[in-house]
Amino acid sequence: MAAPSRLNLYLDLIRWNRPAGWLLLLWPSLSALWVAADGFPGWHLLAVFVAGTILMRSAGCCVNDIADRDFDRHVKRTAARPVTSGRLGVREALAVGGVLAFVAFLLVLTTNLSTIAWSVVGLVLSLIYPYAKRHVSMPQAVLGVAFSFGIPMAFAAVLGGPAWELFGARSADAGATPGFLGSVPATAWWLMVGNLFWVLAYDTEYAMVDRDDDLKIGMKTSAITLGDADVPAITVFYLVFLGIWTAVLWEQVNLVVWAATLVVALAQVVWHYQLIKDRTREGCFKAFRLNHWLGFTVFAGVVAGLA
């Protein structure tokens, strides 16, 4: 069997054939764009956030694989990853991630100063997460913040405007465009909190797949911390996510459309419970991979509810 080409190794490194990862990032970010704009946000911001999400998720995979290379070789599911298996060197993988992150930053530069500033915060969070698994009993919460950061960035991109003033205009400057802090209202932060619970739900399902291996190597995960409470906790996480988003969007979306959205979303929650209740590797991994459909359902509800 011929050795894979460099390009194929790079594509494997960034999980190009597994789009579920960037879809989990994309749907809440696009939902936030629509909410912030009270409808279609325009082709420019749509293109920036779609491309930026794919690029940053790919860069995050590079950082994660570098950070976890000594652990991943002891986990069945991850032992063959390019960096872990030695087919790609650490410097090479870091260079790939750096190029991808740089291109994503160039896209952010086409928005406004507020979004640029928030993107730096998001980058720091994405770099912290791989190392949180060594020290935090629920590292999925750290991932939840990092994976939800497209929400405040989306609001900043829509509301921040081309203002070269980080902390917003003075109150006397009527009609001036809000800056760094003023461009992200309370609505964005509540949506981010709600989304964090969705990340807790699906990444705990993901952690259940590797629980046996993680226990052997001393990795900390929510699946280990929750123990036998994992399945009911995941169900509660899903319900809190949907509850917070419903409360935040209640006065903004068409309630008939949103009620239909909730019916479809709750049916998926029941399906996920059926998949994970026996805690099999196959069932938990399938549940994790199907989460992008729940994200799409909520996004479709937001778009239709605002139409």
Side-chain angles (χ1 to χ4, degrees):
M1 184 184 224
S5 67
R6 248 356 186 212
L7 176 59
N8 287 334
L9 287 174
Y10 294 158
L11 293 176
D12 191 20
L13 174 68
I14 65 174
R15 324 278 202 273
W16 182 255
N17 62 336
R18 282 158 281 178
W22 59 262
L23 288 172
L24 294 173
L25 280 163
L26 182 64
W27 297 132
S29 298
L30 293 188
S31 296
L33 273 178
W34 254 259
V35 174
D38 200 26
F40 181 60
W43 291 109
H44 168 236
L45 289 182
L46 181 60
V48 167
F49 274 80
V50 171
T53 296
I54 296 172
L55 288 165
M56 281 308 298
R57 189 263 179 169
S58 299
C61 289
C62 299
V63 175
N64 185 79
D65 284 10
I66 292 168
D68 287 350
R69 63 189 184 280
D70 293 330
F71 292 98
D72 283 348
R73 64 170 55 101
H74 303 291
V75 179
K76 302 178 187 71
R77 187 179 50 80
T78 59
R81 286 177 174 174
V83 178
T84 306
S85 62
R87 291 176 296 164
L88 276 182
V90 171
R91 290 184 180 180
E92 191 172 3
L94 191 60
V96 172
V99 169
L100 294 170
F102 179 70
V103 175
F105 185 66
L106 292 179
L107 289 173
V108 175
L109 290 178
T110 68
T111 57
N112 57 57
L113 192 63
S114 299
T115 314
I116 294 168
W118 285 117
S119 73
V120 175
V121 180
L123 175 62
V124 172
L125 288 169
S126 67
L127 294 175
I128 289 174
Y129 167 68
Y131 299 96
K133 291 177 280 188
R134 281 96 162 142
H135 309 290
V136 181
S137 60
M138 292 277 285
Q140 280 66 26
V142 180
L143 181 71
V145 177
F147 263 42
S148 302
F149 219 76
I151 293 173
M153 285 182 61
F155 274 82
V158 172
L159 304 177
W164 290 94
E165 171 59 62
L166 278 181
F167 294 98
R170 296 177 183 175
S171 57
D173 298 335
T177 307
F180 180 51
L181 297 181
S183 63
V184 184
T187 296
W189 298 117
W190 278 113
L191 290 176
M192 181 175 171
V193 170
N195 197 73
L196 186 152
F197 280 94
W198 181 40
V199 179
L200 280 173
Y202 68 65
D203 208 51
T204 300
E205 291 175 341
Y206 191 57
M208 289 169 70
V209 178
D210 299 328
R211 176 157 37 198
D212 294 343
D213 293 326
D214 288 337
L215 281 168
K216 293 175 185 176
I217 62 180
M219 190 72 78
K220 298 178 185 294
T221 72
S222 56
I224 293 171
T225 300
L226 292 169
D228 293 339
D230 51 2
V231 174
I234 288 170
T235 305
V236 171
F237 293 155
Y238 279 127
L239 296 178
V240 172
F241 157 56
L242 294 172
I244 291 177
W245 275 57
T246 297
V248 172
L249 300 176
W250 188 258
E251 295 183 356
Q252 194 167 348
V253 295
N254 180 295
L255 295 183
V256 174
V257 171
W258 191 251
T261 301
L262 286 178
V263 170
V264 177
L266 290 171
Q268 291 179 65
V269 173
V270 173
W271 186 18
H272 280 249
Y273 173 80
Q274 294 297 324
L275 288 170
I276 68 174
K277 63 184 177 66
D278 295 324
R279 299 180 174 87
T280 63
R281 285 179 181 264
E282 295 76 14
C284 293
F285 193 52
K286 182 177 181 179
F288 164 74
R289 289 189 294 107
L290 290 171
N291 262 280
H292 67 90
W293 288 111
L294 180 57
F296 173 75
T297 299
V298 173
F299 169 65
V302 168
V303 172
L306 291 173

